[in-house]
């Protein structure tokens, strides 16, 4: 395993661990999700160059598009929950009260 692959795997794993353990605020969960998407985007961007193929060059662009949609939706949820509940703490959000 090269140093490049190790850095991608470790950044993805650390962001998963951050999402699992630091779930007090919605903004920290969104940042962990964005770091996961960023590490996956970089890995998918480097992969066609390593394998010398051109058939998978559209996949990183599609993933970046979905990541931008996810970020916009997450920020809209953050603003909506802050307006209705007064804070972005995840323990204030309950699906049974919606």
């Amino acid at each position: 395993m090269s140093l490049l692959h190790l850095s991608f795997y470790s950044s993805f794993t650390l962001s998963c661990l951050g999402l699992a353990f630091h779930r007090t605020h919605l903004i920290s969960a969104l940042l962990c999700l964005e770091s996961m998407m960023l590490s996956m985007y970089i890995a998918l961007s480097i992969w066609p160059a390593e394998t010398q193929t051109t058939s998978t060059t559209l996949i990183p662009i599609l993933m970046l598009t979905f990541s931008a949609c996810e970020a916009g939706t997450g920020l809209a949820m953050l603003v909506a929950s802050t307006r209705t509940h007064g804070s972005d703490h995840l323990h204030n959000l309950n699906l049974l009260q919606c």
Side-chain angles (χ1 to χ4, degrees), residues 86-97:
S87 68
D88 69 333
H89 288 244
L90 288 178
H91 64 83
N92 289 341
L93 303 176
N94 191 356
L95 290 177
L96 297 176
Q97 294 176 351

Side-chain angles (χ1 to χ4, degrees), residues 1-11 43 46-47 50:
M1 179 184 303
S2 69
L3 185 63
L4 189 64
H5 290 111
L6 181 66
S7 66
F8 294 142
Y9 293 143
S10 64
S11 66
I46 299 292
W47 180 51
E50 288 180 354

Side-chain angles (χ1 to χ4, degrees), residues 3-96:
L3 185 63
L4 189 64
H5 290 111
L6 181 66
S7 66
F8 294 142
Y9 293 143
S10 64
S11 66
F12 186 79
T13 305
L14 286 175
S15 60
C16 285
L17 287 174
L19 184 62
F21 293 128
H22 301 292
R23 292 178 28 182
T24 56
H25 293 280
L26 184 59
I27 191 72
S28 65
L30 290 174
L31 283 174
C32 289
L33 284 174
E34 285 302 313
S35 65
M36 288 170 59
M37 295 299 277
L38 181 65
S39 64
M40 288 174 57
Y41 170 73
I42 292 172
L44 284 175
S45 296
I46 299 292
W47 180 51
E50 288 180 354
T51 59
Q52 282 102 19
T53 60
T54 59
S55 62
T56 59
T57 56
L58 189 61
I59 294 173
I61 301 299
L62 289 174
M63 184 166 178
L64 190 63
T65 304
F66 288 128
S67 176
C69 292
E70 178 256 335
T73 305
L75 287 176
M77 286 175 41
L78 176 70
V79 169
S81 68
T82 303
R83 285 184 180 172
T84 58
H85 297 290
S87 68
D88 69 333
H89 288 244
L90 288 178
H91 64 83
N92 289 341
L93 303 176
N94 191 356
L95 290 177
L96 297 176

